[in-house]
Amino acid sequence: MLCAGALLPTSLIAGELTQYEAKYDILRKGSNHGTAVRSLKKLDNESYELTYHSDIEWMIFSDSRKETSKFTFKDGKVSPDHYSMVRKGTGPDKNYKIDFDKKNEVVTSSTSEYPLKCEWTDDFQDAISYQVQVREGLKKGETNFSFPLVDKKGNRRDYNFEVVGTEVISLPIGNVEAIKVKRLYDTDKRQALAWFAPEMDYMLVRMWKGEKGTEQFEVQMNSFTVTAPTATVDHTKNLQAN
């Protein structure tokens, strides 16, 4: 087993989120078809920026996208302020922004001249900020999660998850004990699983998505670096050594 707990603090400063950069392989049926990078950095006070950038090449299909979430983190709660997504590749390109105006309790989109017609809730998450909130919930021992998301057209989409167990998984960084989380869909045709490693500050280390029992893609962490204002520490070699 890894001794990651001794290597990776739950946070560099109490009450703050760990700043990091994680790199992933994107697989389909065991073959590597792309890479992804996820990073979290503190902007100021209680503000953070989460980014996820992926590049995929598969036969004649290509997909390059970057998602960015700027959010506030206070008292263990993630509250999004701004989300953007840029996508290029096979099929239509996408480029849009969503802003969460907490003062006026409205959501605006770069694709609409007026505020979106969605009922405001303080529990809103954006398309990637909810992943940070899942991590915080897992740290508290929570096993069920539900988040309301709003898309660029103002449609509310409820994301529901449940913890289904703990297992040791094999990754490029070594064997990792992880909590397995399942997304709950209205239909059994779609499946999505995610694994979070407690000994690595509950980092997302693996994802799997399928449809009608057939794998669409799998994402596996291949390196992990904790960053700080005065230092950057690559833990990948230490993890592999253990």
Side-chain angles (χ1 to χ4, degrees), residues 37 45-46 169 173-174 183 194 207 209 215-216 220 235:
V37 178
N45 296 325
E46 299 164 343
I169 58 176
I173 58 173
R183 181 176 172 187
M207 291 186 293
K209 189 173 183 179
E215 178 186 272
Q216 291 182 312
Q220 297 183 358
H235 293 283

Side-chain angles (χ1 to χ4, degrees), residues 9-156:
T10 55
S11 65
L12 299 179
I13 301 176
E16 294 190 1
L17 296 173
T18 301
Q19 300 178 69
Y20 67 88
E21 180 179 87
K23 296 181 179 180
Y24 302 83
D25 295 324
I26 301 177
L27 311 172
R28 181 179 172 87
K29 296 182 179 180
S31 298
N32 194 321
H33 292 287
T35 59
V37 178
R38 184 187 305 274
S39 65
L40 179 68
K41 64 180 180 180
K42 186 176 182 180
L43 300 178
D44 58 65
N45 296 325
E46 299 164 343
S47 298
Y48 292 83
E49 181 180 80
L50 174 69
T51 61
Y52 182 72
H53 186 189
S54 62
D55 288 288
I56 301 173
E57 296 282 346
W58 182 60
M59 300 179 68
I60 62 172
F61 173 83
S62 66
D63 184 286
S64 177
R65 66 181 63 199
K66 182 177 181 179
E67 295 178 88
T68 302
S69 172
K70 293 182 179 179
F71 62 88
T72 302
F73 180 72
K74 183 177 181 180
D75 298 328
K77 180 178 176 59
V78 175
S79 181
D81 299 302
H82 175 80
Y83 169 82
S84 65
M85 198 275 277
V86 179
R87 186 267 181 194
K88 296 181 180 179
T90 306
D93 291 344
K94 297 180 180 179
N95 187 343
Y96 63 88
K97 302 175 182 178
I98 298 176
D99 287 290
F100 298 83
D101 185 342
K102 301 169 187 174
K103 181 178 180 180
N104 297 305
E105 297 188 342
V106 295
V107 181
T108 58
S109 170
S110 60
T111 63
S112 176
E113 182 179 356
Y114 304 102
L116 300 177
K117 296 180 179 180
C118 57
E119 184 177 353
W120 177 266
T121 170
D122 290 335
D123 295 325
F124 268 145
Q125 295 292 333
D126 65 41
I128 57 176
S129 68
Y130 76 88
Q131 297 170 358
V132 182
Q133 193 65 70
V134 168
R135 287 180 55 212
E136 293 307 302
L138 291 173
K139 293 177 185 179
K140 299 175 183 177
E142 296 175 8
T143 57
N144 289 278
F145 311 91
S146 182
F147 308 111
L149 279 73
V150 59
D151 64 22
K152 63 179 180 179
K153 295 182 179 180
N155 298 316
R156 173 171 167 160

